[in-house]
Amino acid sequence: MKKIIIVLTIMLTATFVNAQGSDKAKALLDEVYNKVQSYDNIFVDFKFDLKNADAGINQETRGDVTLAGNKYMFNYLGSQQIFDGNKVYTIVPENEEVTIEDKSDDENAMTPSKMLTFYKEGHNYAWDILQDIQGRKIQYVKLTPIDSDTEIKSRLLGIDMGTKHIYNLIETGKNGTKTTITVNSFKTDQTLSETLFTFDEAKYKDEGYFILRN
C-alpha cells in the first residue's frame, strides 16, 4: 500500500509539474505573440540551415522578410515573393519569370506572414532548456503538433528573454531532417515605401519577363 501511494504521489507530482511547464510555456508564447502584434511592421534577416545526415543534405543560406499586417515581401534563394493581401507574386530573375497566384486557402500552410505567429495554434507546449548564447538568455519552448498526420515531429522555439523576440526555430521532421532558422537581425516599425507590397506588372513585361497566372 505504501509503495502504491508513493508511486501515485510521484505520478501526480509529475503531472502537476508538466501542467505548470505547459502553462509557463503558453504564457511566454502569448507574451511574444502580443509583442509581435503590437508592431506596425517587422523586418527579419535570417539564416536558414537544413540538415539530413542519412540523405547527405547539409545546406545553409540566408534570406529576409518584411511583414506589415498580413502583407509581406520575402527574399530567398535569389527569388522574391510579394503578397499584397490578395495575390501572391513570385519573381524569379534567373528565369525572367513571374508567377501570380491567389492566396492559399490552406489554413495550415506555413507562409512568411505566419513566420512569427505560427505557434499560436495547433501545438502542445512544454517548457524546455534555458541557454546562454553570446550573453543572451534564450528560453526554449517545445512545440509538439496536435495533428498526428503531420510530417513534423517537434519544434523548439528559442525566445530571447531580454527582448521577448524569437531568436530561432529548430524543427525536426519524422524523416530525420532538421531545419534551423536563426534570426540575425530584427527591426520594427521601419519607414516603408507605399509601393513596397505592390506588384508592377507593366515593369516586368517591359523587361521581358514571362507572366504566368495560376
Side-chain angles (χ1 to χ4, degrees), residues 46-82:
F46 62 88
K47 181 176 76 172
F48 180 91
D49 186 68
L50 179 68
K51 286 184 172 64
N52 186 315
D54 292 338
I57 298 173
N58 188 0
Q59 300 174 354
E60 185 177 306
T61 188
R62 295 182 68 165
D64 64 73
V65 61
T66 301
L67 305 160
N70 68 335
K71 299 178 181 180
Y72 62 79
M73 183 177 72
F74 181 48
N75 296 296
Y76 182 64
L77 292 176
S79 300
Q80 184 177 81
Q81 192 173 84
I82 299 170

Side-chain angles (χ1 to χ4, degrees), residues 108 122-124 144-153 174:
N108 296 317
H123 297 86
N124 292 315
T144 305
I146 294 172
D147 181 4
S148 59
D149 292 331
T150 181
E151 294 301 312
I152 306 303
K153 181 179 179 182
K174 291 178 180 177

Side-chain angles (χ1 to χ4, degrees), residues 39-204:
Y39 299 126
D40 289 334
N41 59 70
I42 296 170
F43 170 82
V44 178
D45 176 87
F46 62 88
K47 181 176 76 172
F48 180 91
D49 186 68
L50 179 68
K51 286 184 172 64
N52 186 315
D54 292 338
I57 298 173
N58 188 0
Q59 300 174 354
E60 185 177 306
T61 188
R62 295 182 68 165
D64 64 73
V65 61
T66 301
L67 305 160
N70 68 335
K71 299 178 181 180
Y72 62 79
M73 183 177 72
F74 181 48
N75 296 296
Y76 182 64
L77 292 176
S79 300
Q80 184 177 81
Q81 192 173 84
I82 299 170
F83 178 54
D84 62 8
N86 295 303
K87 300 281 187 180
V88 179
Y89 307 87
T90 303
I91 305 159
V92 186
E94 184 179 358
N95 300 335
E96 294 189 335
E97 182 179 280
V98 176
T99 303
I100 303 175
E101 302 172 281
D102 290 328
K103 176 186 175 183
S104 173
D105 292 328
D106 183 0
E107 294 183 357
N108 296 317
M110 181 67 81
T111 63
S113 56
K114 293 181 180 178
M115 217 170 149
L116 301 175
T117 59
F118 75 92
Y119 52 83
K120 187 67 177 173
E121 296 177 347
H123 297 86
N124 292 315
Y125 310 125
W127 197 255
D128 211 270
I129 63 171
L130 176 67
Q131 287 190 336
D132 188 313
I133 300 178
Q134 297 179 340
R136 299 164 67 182
K137 299 297 183 184
I138 307 299
Q139 175 62 56
Y140 284 91
V141 172
K142 186 173 184 179
L143 310 174
T144 305
I146 294 172
D147 181 4
S148 59
D149 292 331
T150 181
E151 294 301 312
I152 306 303
K153 181 179 179 182
S154 65
R155 293 176 168 122
L156 279 174
L157 192 63
I159 308 299
D160 185 321
M161 295 302 282
T163 62
K164 295 302 191 297
H165 290 161
I166 294 174
Y167 168 72
N168 69 349
L169 168 67
I170 304 169
E171 180 179 280
T172 302
K174 291 178 180 177
N175 64 354
T177 299
K178 180 173 283 190
T179 305
T180 303
I181 300 174
T182 305
V183 174
N184 295 319
S185 175
F186 190 102
K187 299 177 182 178
T188 62
D189 297 338
Q190 304 288 291
T191 300
L192 303 180
S193 166
E194 293 182 0
T195 60
L196 184 65
F197 306 111
T198 302
F199 174 71
D200 186 347
E201 184 169 343
K203 168 192 168 185
Y204 287 96

